[in-house]
Amino acid sequence: MYPTTSLAAPGIIEDFTGLGTDLKTLLTVVVLGVIYVASVGATWAATRSMLKAGVAAAGGAIVMGIIAAQMTISDKTAEELKKDHTVGQGRSGVVRVTDPPSPPRIVVSPTEAVRLQGRHA
């Protein structure tokens, strides 16, 4: 018979994985939520301005929304990095080498210009 201790190991690993997921959710929801409410309250207490507290609430809501969408954003980013972007673009990566243009000639005097034209004609 096979020992039963080796069969218990995958269950323990799954339990710890689930515990880690639950802990991450707890930190995201509870701790960040408390920080959000505390920062809005501290802003209002320091300024006694509903406008400034409202701006702090809106900014905090944007930050909380970004944190909540983190998994979706990271999944889309990973998917985009794995995607092959060369499909349908023909011969991608082909570099055409051409002759460099001839350097410009500086004409110092009219007689030299006539002499140069005669040489290339």
Side-chain angles (χ1 to χ4, degrees):
M1 279 269 130
Y2 296 108
T4 57
T5 55
S6 66
L7 297 176
I12 293 172
I13 293 172
E14 289 175 7
D15 288 342
F16 279 115
T17 303
L19 182 64
T21 304
D22 293 342
L23 185 62
K24 181 179 177 184
T25 303
L26 176 74
L27 286 175
T28 303
V29 174
V30 174
V31 174
L32 290 177
V34 168
I35 291 172
Y36 170 70
V37 171
S39 65
V40 173
T43 303
W44 181 79
T47 62
R48 296 287 185 204
S49 170
M50 290 301 288
L51 178 64
K52 291 179 182 178
V55 170
I62 290 171
V63 170
M64 292 288 283
I66 291 171
I67 291 171
Q70 178 184 6
M71 288 304 296
T72 305
I73 293 170
S74 65
D75 289 345
K76 287 184 179 182
T77 304
E79 180 181 313
E80 191 67 27
L81 290 174
K82 290 178 185 175
K83 192 185 298 183
D84 184 15
H85 293 283
T86 60
V87 176
Q89 295 180 0
R91 297 184 295 169
S92 63
V94 175
V95 177
R96 181 180 296 176
V97 179
T98 60
D99 293 332
S102 60
R105 294 189 178 140
I106 299 174
V107 178
V108 179
S109 68
T111 55
E112 186 178 351
V114 171
R115 186 175 56 87
L116 288 174
Q117 286 178 355
R119 191 179 339 166
H120 294 290

